[in-house]
Amino acid sequence: MKEKFRVQFLNEATEFLDMIDSKAREKIIYNIKKAQIHNDNELFKKLNDEIWEFRTLFKKTHYRLFAFWDKREKVDTIVISTHGIIKKTGKTPQADLEKAEYIRKLYFEQKS
């Protein structure tokens, strides 16, 4: 099946993936690949108007990679992953949502 979008990891997202357990990282990458093909709110969920999260549950630990869409190029749709967290509460931390929004703003400022 064809991917609906490409995923690009910014430095902080890559650093997060590098620091976690290799089995958890493999599961996260597997879930991202599934989300690229199938619409599934359990894997890729919209948090607000601009920010989304890749979601993975592995060994009772909730992993989140924050992301946003870059649809400026008509030929290629990219999802930019900003950073990741290990989620400890039911609610998404406001500080991480704001961080993703700030990184998104910087990304598009630098791109134009």
Side-chain angles (χ1 to χ4, degrees), residues 62-73:
H62 296 269
Y63 296 90
R64 300 292 187 261
L65 279 173
F66 294 88
F68 61 88
W69 294 84
D70 180 352
K71 297 181 183 178
R72 287 189 170 182
E73 307 298 324

Side-chain angles (χ1 to χ4, degrees), residues 16-28:
F16 173 76
L17 290 170
D18 287 344
M19 72 163 220
I20 61 175
D21 175 76
S22 65
K23 295 286 185 191
R25 180 174 46 252
E26 288 171 17
K27 176 73 176 196
I28 291 168

